[in-house]
């Protein structure tokens, strides 16, 4: 069995990956709030931006963290088409959750199903990204930890959406992003601890690209997009009246549901 090191690059990869997850989450959750203030094409555009932000933030977090992953006894390469598919899957599945939250008539059910879709998107991206891993050996998973990783993603994504839709100030907005970022990071490392590698030593050349050849440049592009989009959202005007009414509606539905 191959010895794995999840932090071969030191503290840089886990800290940077968490920061990227928080940035993508903050932008995506804020765009979801803006969507609740809007109608028509504007609403759709905010939800699309939210989906891309959260999805790309999740993807960037995963592969930045994977740059610190190594297995003793084998090089690691990444299958480029599967890696790109994991990015598209992340954005697509998260979009299903975000659009559910944005267009749902009931805020309570929107949060529940939106959190479920977003959490499943996190998990789908991770395991598709892991399928892109090429090494001299076989990757195996502990089923219990796999289930736990998906549960963590769904629970924390639901909590983040709840905080977002009842947000009343910058403190809770920041807390929602930190919760979502923690969800993505916790899910990632829980899922990684579910992994075991059965080595099959070989001198054959592995297919795919190294992390520095493909992953790092794409992560830089996505990170730049997140920073620029965050600046745009921060500078665009808000509608406090609509935001407060959405929060009040959610609180009323929660009270009716629990009464």
């Amino acid at each position: 069995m191959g010895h794995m090191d999840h932090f071969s690059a030191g503290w840089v990869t886990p800290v940077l990956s968490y920061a990227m997850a928080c940035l993508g989450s903050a932008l995506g959750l804020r765009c979801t709030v803006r969507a609740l203030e809007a109608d028509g094409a504007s609403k759709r555009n905010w939800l699309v931006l939210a989906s891309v932000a959260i999805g790309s933030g999740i993807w960037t977090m995963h592969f930045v963290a994977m740059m610190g992953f190594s297995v003793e006894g084998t090089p690691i390469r990444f299958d480029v088409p599967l890696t790109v598919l994991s990015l598209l899957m992340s954005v697509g599945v998260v979009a299903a959750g975000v659009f559910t939250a944005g267009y749902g008539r009931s805020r309570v059910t929107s949060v529940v199903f939106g959190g479920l879709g977003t959490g499943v998107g996190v998990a789908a991206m991770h395991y598709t990204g892991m399928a892109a891993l090429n090494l001299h050996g076989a990757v195996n998973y502990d089923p219990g930890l796999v289930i736990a990783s998906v549960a963590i993603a769904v629970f924390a994504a639901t909590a983040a959406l709840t905080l977002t839709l009842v947000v009343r100030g910058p403190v809770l907005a920041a807390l929602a992003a930190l919760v979502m970022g923690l969800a993505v990071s916790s899910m990632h490392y829980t899922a990684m601890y579910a992994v075991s590698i059965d080595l099959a030593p070989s001198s054959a050349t592995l297919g795919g690209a190294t992390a520095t050849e493909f992953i790092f440049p794409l992560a830089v592009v996505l990170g730049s997009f997140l920073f620029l989009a965050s600046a745009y959202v921060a500078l665009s005007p808000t509608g406090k009246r609509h935001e407060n009414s959405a929060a009040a509606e959610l609180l009323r539905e929660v009270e009716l549901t629990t009464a």
Side-chain angles (χ1 to χ4, degrees), residues 67-93:
M67 292 181 71
F69 177 70
S70 64
V71 181
E72 186 177 334
T74 177
I76 292 177
R77 299 290 185 272
F78 295 90
D79 182 285
V80 173
L82 270 179
T83 302
V84 174
L85 176 63
S86 70
L87 173 59
L88 298 177
M89 181 177 291
S90 177
V91 173
V93 181

Side-chain angles (χ1 to χ4, degrees), residues 141-229:
Y141 295 95
D142 180 310
L145 286 175
V146 169
I147 293 171
S149 69
V150 177
I152 289 170
V154 171
F155 176 80
T158 303
L161 278 176
T162 301
L163 286 173
T164 299
L165 295 179
V166 299
V167 67
R168 295 179 181 178
V171 174
L172 282 181
L175 180 60
L178 293 175
V179 167
M180 187 65 186
L182 182 62
V184 177
S185 296
S186 299
M187 183 272 161
H188 173 84
Y189 285 107
T190 300
M192 291 308 295
Y193 279 110
V195 171
S196 60
I197 306 292
D198 290 331
L199 286 178
S202 172
S203 59
T205 301
L206 289 170
T210 66
T212 53
E213 288 173 342
F214 177 66
I215 303 300
F216 181 73
L218 186 53
V220 169
V221 170
L222 292 176
S224 300
F225 159 75
L226 291 174
F227 277 107
L228 292 173

